[in-house]
Amino acid sequence: MSIQDWIKNEVDSNDVVLFMKGTPNFPQCGFSGQVVQILDYVGAPYKGINVLEDDELRQGIKEFTNWPTIPQLYVKGEFVGGCDIIREMFQNQELQGLFSEKGIETTQQSA
C-alpha cells in the first residue's frame, strides 16, 4: 500500500482526522496544539495522526492535499484546512456548524 493509499484510507474510514505534529495528548507544535484545543473544546471526536513518526507520511500528507503546512483537518473525507482556517471557522461558529451538518456529535452544540 502506498502512503497516498494509506492516507486516503485513514481519511475515508474516520469521521474526523487531524494530521498533526505530535499527538492529541502531547502536541509538538503550537499550531497543532491550537487545533487540538479547538477540537477538544467543541467536543468533536477525532483521530490524531502524528506526522513526525514517519517522514514519508509527513511529505505524503502535503502532496495528498497539495497543502504545504501541518496540521491538516479532514471531516467526513473532506479537507477542511490548517490551523488559521480552523481557528477562523471556530470563532465564526462555522466549524461547529460543519460538524452538525456532517452529522458529527459534539459535546458543545452550536447556538
Side-chain angles (χ1 to χ4, degrees), residues 3 6-7 9-11 13-14 16-24 32 36 46-54 57-58 61 70-72 74:
I3 194 67
W6 187 87
I7 292 168
N9 181 60
E10 287 297 314
V11 166
S13 57
N14 295 284
V16 184
V17 184
L18 178 63
F19 289 87
M20 61 181 292
K21 293 179 180 174
T23 64
S32 291
V36 164
Y46 65 97
K47 178 175 185 177
I49 297 177
N50 184 359
V51 301
L52 296 178
E53 291 178 346
D54 184 341
L57 172 60
R58 188 174 182 173
I61 192 61
I70 294 163
Q72 294 185 12
Y74 294 79

Side-chain angles (χ1 to χ4, degrees), residues 42-101:
V42 299
Y46 65 97
K47 178 175 185 177
I49 297 177
N50 184 359
V51 301
L52 296 178
E53 291 178 346
D54 184 341
D55 283 341
E56 188 181 10
L57 172 60
R58 188 174 182 173
Q59 191 54 43
I61 192 61
K62 294 175 184 180
E63 293 166 2
F64 186 75
T65 46
N66 199 20
W67 190 262
T69 59
I70 294 163
Q72 294 185 12
L73 183 68
Y74 294 79
V75 177
K76 293 279 189 171
E78 190 179 308
F79 175 58
V80 179
C83 181
D84 291 345
I85 292 169
I86 300 306
R87 186 174 53 233
E88 190 174 306
M89 287 178 71
F90 169 69
Q91 289 167 343
N92 297 334
Q93 296 281 313
E94 291 170 26
L95 185 64
Q96 298 87 319
L98 175 68
F99 287 138
S100 177
E101 185 182 299

